[in-house]
Amino acid sequence: MLHHYLETNPSVKRDSHFHADNCSGQNKNKSVLAYLSWRCTTGLIDSIQLSFLRVGLTRCAVDGYFGLIKQKWRSSENDTLEHVEKAVNTSCAPNKAVMHSWQWYDWDTFLLGFYKPLKGILKYQHFKVSKEAPGQVVCRESPDGEGSSRSIARDVEMPKSSDVLPSVLQPPGLSQARREYLNREVARYISVSAQDNLPWS
């Protein structure tokens, strides 16, 4: 999703500063740092700073918008993608559902052949990568703290062209057993108007 956003959003600057939720499973991890470093090494961007608020201080406006979606969701009929889109769009004025599909790439397998995990990543809150220092990450525990440069590059030659991409992940789809389970256990809870358009049919 990050790749799709950066590739399709014309407002992204050559020198960018991103803020993210302090979640190691989704944001503060070896894959995100490797991906951002790859973008600099291949010349797609000049530098990227990535900042995280400390644990316990991570609530922001985005969380409030998700909360409004949740409220709307609980009081809406949500049997189809169209229903979900309507719930998001009517939850509050700024919320707009983006209905599209994109290609999912196997970034982990591709990048982790060229980059290694950053030891002690969780204690840092601010990171910077740049094309001037390929494979290096400047880490800080606070915005004004002294930064330390750490290498995450493996001792292997990495393609410098951004045209060299990971393999595309193909969704396996639902097994016949899973379809039978959904028809048997879930379909009866879906409104009559949506019965002819079940997503797993």
Side-chain angles (χ1 to χ4, degrees):
M1 292 175 69
L2 177 60
H3 179 70
H4 176 83
Y5 172 80
L6 293 176
E7 288 291 289
T8 59
N9 193 325
S11 67
V12 175
K13 299 178 180 179
R14 297 290 301 179
D15 295 287
S16 296
H17 192 166
F18 299 139
H19 294 262
D21 184 88
N22 202 332
C23 173
S24 59
Q26 299 171 351
N27 302 319
K28 189 192 282 187
N29 56 54
K30 59 187 179 183
S31 299
V32 172
L33 284 184
Y35 173 75
L36 297 179
S37 183
W38 171 83
R39 290 194 71 87
C40 291
T41 300
T42 55
L44 290 173
I45 201 165
D46 293 339
S47 69
I48 301 176
Q49 293 186 64
L50 180 61
S51 295
F52 299 90
L53 291 172
R54 291 187 177 277
V55 175
L57 302 173
T58 57
R59 294 196 176 277
C60 59
V62 173
D63 294 321
Y65 291 134
F66 277 117
L68 292 172
I69 293 174
K70 186 183 293 186
Q71 289 180 12
K72 189 67 177 182
W73 176 275
R74 289 172 175 168
S75 62
S76 303
E77 183 179 82
N78 299 298
D79 296 324
T80 66
L81 283 177
E82 289 73 19
H83 290 161
V84 175
E85 180 182 21
K86 182 179 179 181
V88 172
N89 290 342
T90 57
S91 60
C92 69
N95 282 341
K96 297 297 177 187
V98 180
M99 306 293 287
H100 62 78
S101 60
W102 54 73
Q103 288 184 318
W104 294 96
Y105 294 96
D106 188 5
W107 285 107
D108 273 354
T109 301
F110 177 75
L111 291 172
L112 297 183
F114 304 111
Y115 296 97
K116 56 190 176 183
L118 175 66
K119 291 183 179 180
I121 186 174
L122 295 181
K123 71 178 182 179
Y124 298 111
Q125 310 302 329
H126 305 273
F127 306 87
K128 182 178 181 179
V129 292
S130 73
K131 69 176 185 179
E132 304 301 329
Q136 298 288 321
V137 181
V138 177
C139 314
R140 290 183 171 85
E141 295 187 37
S142 64
D144 301 322
E146 182 177 352
S148 61
S149 183
R150 309 276 295 278
S151 175
I152 60 171
R154 296 188 186 276
D155 190 20
V156 294
E157 185 68 24
M158 190 187 78
K160 298 299 190 293
S161 173
S162 60
D163 293 331
V164 180
L165 293 170
S167 58
V168 176
L169 294 173
Q170 300 295 341
L174 296 173
S175 65
Q176 184 59 34
R178 185 63 176 173
R179 292 173 185 271
E180 291 174 358
Y181 166 80
L182 291 171
N183 281 324
R184 183 178 66 253
E185 302 294 339
V186 178
R188 63 176 178 267
Y189 296 109
I190 295 177
S191 60
V192 175
S193 61
Q195 286 287 335
D196 293 334
N197 191 30
L198 296 176
W200 58 82
S201 297

